[in-house]
Amino acid sequence: MTAPKALVAGNWKMNGLTASKKEIEKLQSMISENGANCDVLICPPATIIGLLSGKGVEIGAQDCHMNISGAHTGDISALMLKDLGCHYVMVGHSERRSDHGESNDMVKSKAIAAQQQGLAAIICVGESDAERENGETLDVVTAQIKGSIPEDAIVKNTVIAYEPVWAIGTGKTPTADDVAEVHMVIRNLLMDRFGDEGEMVRILYGGSVKASNAHELMSVLNVNGALVGGASLKAEDFYGIIATYQ
Ligand code: PEP
């Protein structure tokens, strides 16, 4: 079995207005002129998903509700995201887990909702600074993976993003050896879960990825792409990471 095609995904978080369409168009021109040897995804705020066309760049979402419709003021369902043309939705980002108290069970329910609508769920996992200091990284990540992947998930609709919480937005990154160790544990869990096909599930690394460190991080065994926050907001910065795969 070969390695999966890499995915470089941008998480815009709560940034982006209607004018940000221009930034996506700039990225699309850079990709059409210079190429991209990986899949490229932007997850903008839900307010502008409908304005963006996915030519050369997939448009995804940052979260979805676990139900398809109903009395859930302010929430957005996977069906609505599918209706807008999304093929991916992130679930369980650490900012959702901390800001909204999302447990593994809730993350799993959201992933089920996404996958039932034909979307791929990007399931985010990662240890906090304190957990890392206590030597709990592998236990925490293992529990998150086991608790967040739906029973009916298949390789095609599952992406894992390993994002150490202490590396998100801080400019700090784990060493390549540390990333390799965690990604190997995740790969083994995926192989236990999906058999040989577990090799084809993409495992993204996220946390302060930028053009200057992307090559080192993306070269690590079992790293099949990146989930990028701050450096995905500007087309030039983001393309610098995408170009790692040229
Ligand atoms: C993220 O938000 O998922 C992320 C990895 O952010 P940053 O790249 O800014 O650390």
Side-chain angles (χ1 to χ4, degrees), residues 31-101:
I31 290 173
S32 78
E33 275 163 37
N34 307 309
N37 199 15
C38 58
D39 291 334
V40 178
L41 168 71
I42 295 274
C43 300
T47 47
I48 57 172
I49 289 173
L51 298 178
L52 308 173
S53 106
K55 208 169 72 30
V57 178
E58 287 267 2
I59 305 298
Q62 299 173 16
D63 180 49
C64 67
H65 195 271
M66 56 190 75
N67 293 336
I68 225 65
S69 63
H72 303 289
T73 303
D75 280 313
I76 292 170
S77 76
L79 175 62
M80 293 167 178
L81 297 174
K82 177 181 158 190
D83 188 45
L84 287 177
C86 292
H87 295 125
Y88 292 87
V89 57
M90 297 160 51
V91 292
H93 189 279
S94 65
E95 288 152 17
R96 299 287 317 173
R97 289 180 187 261
S98 64
D99 292 1
H100 300 272

Side-chain angles (χ1 to χ4, degrees), residues 11-13 90 93-95 124 163 167-172 205-210 227-232:
N11 170 19
W12 279 12
K13 312 193 189 202
M90 297 160 51
H93 189 279
S94 65
E95 288 152 17
C124 304
E163 300 203 298
I168 296 179
T170 59
K172 295 186 214 160
Y205 167 77
S208 294
V209 178
K210 48 190 183 214
L227 180 54
V228 184
S232 68

